[in-house]
Amino acid sequence: MPVDHYENFPVASVLLPRRLVPAVEAIYAFARSADDLADEGDALPAERLAALQLYESALDRIARHEAHAAPGLDPMFARLAATIAQFDLPMQPFYDLLSAFKQDVRTTRYATYADLLDYCARSANPVGLLMLSLYKAADEDNVRDSNAICSALQLINFLQDVAIDRQKERIYLPMEDLTRFAVSPAAFEQPEAHGKWSALMRFEVMRARALMLSGAPLALRLRGRIGWELRLVVQGGLRILEMIEAVNYDVFRRRPKLSKRDWLIIFWRALRMSRKSVAAAAQENPLFPPSPTR
């Protein structure tokens, strides 16, 4: 499940092979620090974009194999360069992450669900691709399902953190959905909007669940520790959706947060997870299979 500050990264999980821990930590340090540049502190937008551009320049040096020769290179980028070289990681996921962080500075609304998925494709999916690459398992089918899981996790995080994002003057719900359910962005928390808000969130939860379930077979297809890691990721995301439903979608006053009891449930469900159980859950969802325009 999402941990610490950068929501979509399984940092140094107990299930992660020790040989991969330094690599994951190097990638995480890059992602987290870049995310902080886009989100944290009181820097002006132009200052944030300039700082992220320096990150992109550092990536350019790594791509040109100049990292070790560059004087004064930040140790974080030196570790990242070594990790990329050791595991022959693709560079595009790192550029995609920076693209998403820059978009966070510039964009506070998303007109359509397709627009939001495009953002997820750069803010979340690269993490899954890098993890698959570390495990040498980045084939076409695995990447497709990983993308579904990662995008679903990002969407779930948006649903969980509606109130937090509103404080940052951001809305990560498609504006077309707000219009469809007659929910005003200025009246999210108003009592009179509760019925409409619940209907909107019910739809968003079903859609995020459908997307997660579409990628869930990857957790059963991959063997060993990465498979167990993914089972926990999938079940953790689904559990958060259940918790949003349990508070009647009032994430403003009762933000869902996993407790020890929830983790016990997640571990139990991960142990019992099967193709049959995933297929049964998918059949119960009216929005399955997921559509990029629905």
Side-chain angles (χ1 to χ4, degrees):
M1 267 304 293
V3 292
D4 203 355
H5 185 78
Y6 187 65
E7 294 89 349
N8 295 292
F9 220 101
V11 181
S13 162
V14 294
L15 295 177
L16 194 68
R18 301 313 299 170
R19 65 181 180 83
L20 295 183
V21 169
V24 171
E25 290 178 341
I27 299 168
Y28 174 83
F30 167 82
R32 173 171 176 168
S33 60
D35 193 17
D36 283 347
L37 290 177
D39 274 340
E40 301 301 319
D42 54 3
L44 297 174
E47 295 171 327
R48 297 182 188 277
L49 292 173
L52 290 170
Q53 186 58 46
L54 291 177
Y55 269 49
E56 186 166 333
S57 296
L59 286 184
D60 290 341
R61 292 199 298 274
I62 293 174
R64 294 193 300 265
H65 307 289
E66 298 175 359
H68 296 294
L73 184 69
D74 189 303
M76 178 187 70
F77 286 106
R79 291 193 297 272
L80 183 64
T83 295
I84 290 171
Q86 179 183 357
F87 293 94
D88 193 24
L89 297 179
M91 292 297 302
Q92 192 58 47
F94 298 100
Y95 285 108
D96 287 344
L97 287 171
L98 286 184
S99 170
F101 298 146
K102 289 178 182 179
Q103 187 165 318
D104 277 332
V105 178
R106 301 187 182 104
T107 305
T108 60
R109 303 288 189 275
Y110 290 85
T112 68
Y113 180 56
D115 291 338
L116 195 58
L117 285 182
D118 175 72
Y119 171 78
C120 293
R122 288 172 288 115
S123 68
N125 297 4
V127 175
L129 176 56
L130 288 170
M131 291 300 294
L132 287 175
S133 297
L134 288 176
Y135 279 95
K136 306 299 181 184
D139 64 36
E140 183 178 354
D141 289 342
N142 289 349
V143 171
R144 179 200 61 225
D145 288 350
S146 172
N147 287 344
I149 292 172
C150 290
S151 287
L153 280 177
Q154 182 77 87
L155 295 175
I156 292 167
N157 182 250
F158 290 154
L159 299 180
Q160 184 181 16
D161 284 344
V162 170
I164 294 174
D165 290 331
R166 282 287 282 141
Q167 292 174 359
K168 299 178 181 179
E169 299 185 354
R170 293 176 180 168
I171 298 177
Y172 289 104
L173 301 177
M175 302 309 292
E176 64 182 1
D177 294 348
L178 270 64
T179 299
R180 173 182 175 184
F181 289 92
V183 174
S184 168
F188 277 0
E189 301 178 62
Q190 300 302 317
E192 59 268 22
H194 181 71
K196 296 176 181 178
W197 172 257
S198 295
L200 166 65
M201 286 290 282
R202 186 178 302 113
F203 173 76
E204 303 295 345
V205 164
M206 285 194 301
R207 185 161 59 183
R209 181 179 285 125
L211 187 58
M212 178 66 81
L213 292 172
S214 74
L218 176 63
L220 300 169
R221 192 162 64 242
L222 293 179
R223 301 297 181 183
R225 294 185 178 188
I226 187 174
W228 282 107
E229 177 89 33
L230 277 173
R231 291 187 190 193
L232 293 173
V233 166
V234 169
Q235 293 300 330
L238 294 174
R239 181 61 179 168
I240 288 289
L241 292 177
E242 289 179 351
M243 296 172 72
I244 293 174
E245 292 170 327
V247 299
N248 197 23
Y249 310 104
D250 187 1
V251 291
F252 298 103
R253 296 170 182 80
R254 291 172 287 181
R255 178 185 183 272
K257 186 176 181 179
L258 296 174
S259 65
K260 290 183 179 179
R261 177 178 178 274
D262 293 309
W263 277 109
L264 289 174
I265 293 173
I266 290 167
F267 275 105
W268 176 246
R269 290 178 176 176
L271 285 171
R272 294 174 58 86
M273 188 173 168
S274 66
R275 294 183 183 277
K276 184 176 180 180
S277 66
V278 170
Q283 289 176 359
E284 294 175 0
N285 192 318
L287 296 184
F288 191 89
S291 165
T293 59
R294 181 167 60 185

